[in-house]
């Protein structure tokens, strides 16, 4: 799995560089992923949460401890953001602000959802179902309603590569006008 993350992270970096090339109006900020989390950082987060992180997300953190601007203005959380950060507080407010019927239709309780990515510029929120949920490891994208769902963190990461590729195509079309 470690080699998979290396490959996927490198692919995302290439895609983000290509996106940056076509973003002539400077819509987005571009960042490299954060340096890998240490085992101690991850274990500290798990102690504070009271449960082990999802294995796929945990494995990602051992290669990249979060990623600012992962998709547009969405930041993917690392260990620093997961526990008691201002962005996590904001993400939890977004989660709390979702209509009850949106949460109910997701098939999960709010207590089964842990924010893993959000933006301060909009209402996009990505949550991971926690290990004690009835279906752990699922990533759900909310923006007032459910936008997309991914069977696990790996699928989410790969889908975000594709969403960034779609953004490149949109910018190419826009630039050719």
């Amino acid at each position: 799995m470690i080699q998979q993350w290396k490959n996927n992270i490198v692919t995302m970096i290439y895609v983000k560089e290509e996106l940056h090339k076509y973003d002539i109006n400077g819509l987005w900020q571009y960042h490299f992923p954060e340096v890998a989390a240490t085992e101690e950082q991850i274990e500290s987060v798990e102690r504070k949460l009271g449960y082990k992180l999802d294995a796929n997300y945990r494995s990602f953190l051992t290669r990249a401890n979060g990623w600012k601007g992962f998709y547009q203005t969405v930041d993917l959380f690392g260990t620093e953001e997961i526990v008691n950060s201002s962005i996590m507080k904001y993400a939890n407010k977004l989660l709390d602000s979702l209509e009850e019927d949106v949460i109910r239709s997701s098939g999960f309780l709010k207590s089964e959802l842990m924010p893993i990515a959000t933006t301060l510029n909009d209402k996009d929120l990505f949550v991971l179902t926690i290990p004690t949920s009835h279906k752990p490891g699922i990533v759900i994208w909310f923006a007032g309603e459910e936008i997309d769902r991914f069977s696990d963190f790996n699928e989410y990461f790969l889908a975000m590569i594709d969403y960034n590729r779609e953004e490149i195509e949109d910018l190419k079309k826009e630039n050719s006008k």
Side-chain angles (χ1 to χ4, degrees):
M1 185 170 288
I2 289 171
Q3 186 60 42
Q4 170 194 333
W5 281 118
K6 287 180 182 178
N7 293 340
N8 290 346
I9 289 168
V10 168
T11 299
M12 180 62 103
I13 289 170
Y14 284 134
V15 169
K16 297 293 283 182
E17 287 177 349
E18 188 76 1
L19 182 58
H20 189 219
K21 183 170 81 175
Y22 289 100
D23 184 11
I24 60 176
N25 295 319
L27 295 171
W28 321 120
Q29 291 186 1
Y30 297 90
H31 302 274
F32 286 107
E34 299 299 322
V35 174
T38 65
E39 188 62 29
E40 293 77 28
Q41 288 172 304
I42 295 170
E43 288 173 358
S44 174
V45 166
E46 290 174 333
R47 279 191 302 275
K48 290 174 184 172
L49 292 173
Y51 55 82
K52 291 273 189 197
L53 291 171
D54 170 74
N56 292 320
Y57 182 47
R58 191 180 206 286
S59 181
F60 166 76
L61 292 173
T62 67
R63 293 289 160 232
N65 194 8
W67 198 325
K68 289 181 177 59
F70 182 63
Y71 173 65
Q72 297 179 346
T73 59
V74 172
D75 294 342
L76 178 56
F77 299 165
T79 56
E80 293 294 314
E81 292 82 19
I82 294 172
V83 182
N84 292 325
S85 68
S86 59
I87 197 162
M88 181 57 94
K89 289 176 185 169
Y90 177 78
N92 279 314
K93 283 182 184 177
L94 281 178
L95 181 58
D96 288 341
S97 72
L98 289 172
E99 298 290 332
E100 284 303 316
D101 63 324
V102 171
I103 295 294
R104 191 173 24 261
S105 67
S106 78
F108 295 94
L109 302 172
K110 283 184 187 177
S111 61
E112 294 178 284
L113 307 174
M114 180 184 86
I116 59 164
T118 195
T119 176
L120 297 174
N121 299 335
D122 208 343
K123 54 186 178 178
D124 292 290
L125 173 67
F126 296 83
V127 297
L128 179 66
T129 58
I130 65 173
T132 56
S133 82
H134 66 282
K135 290 183 182 175
I138 295 171
V139 177
I140 305 172
W141 179 0
F142 291 110
E145 62 186 358
E146 186 171 322
I147 303 300
D148 209 342
R149 182 178 293 229
F150 312 94
S151 62
D152 60 28
F153 186 82
N154 296 333
E155 182 187 353
Y156 160 70
F157 193 95
L158 294 172
M160 291 298 105
I161 292 172
D162 289 341
Y163 275 111
N164 276 289
R165 285 180 173 139
E166 288 175 11
E167 192 68 32
I168 292 168
E169 295 306 312
D170 290 345
L171 288 174
K172 283 180 178 178
K173 288 176 190 170
E174 187 176 306
N175 293 344
S176 68
K177 291 180 183 177

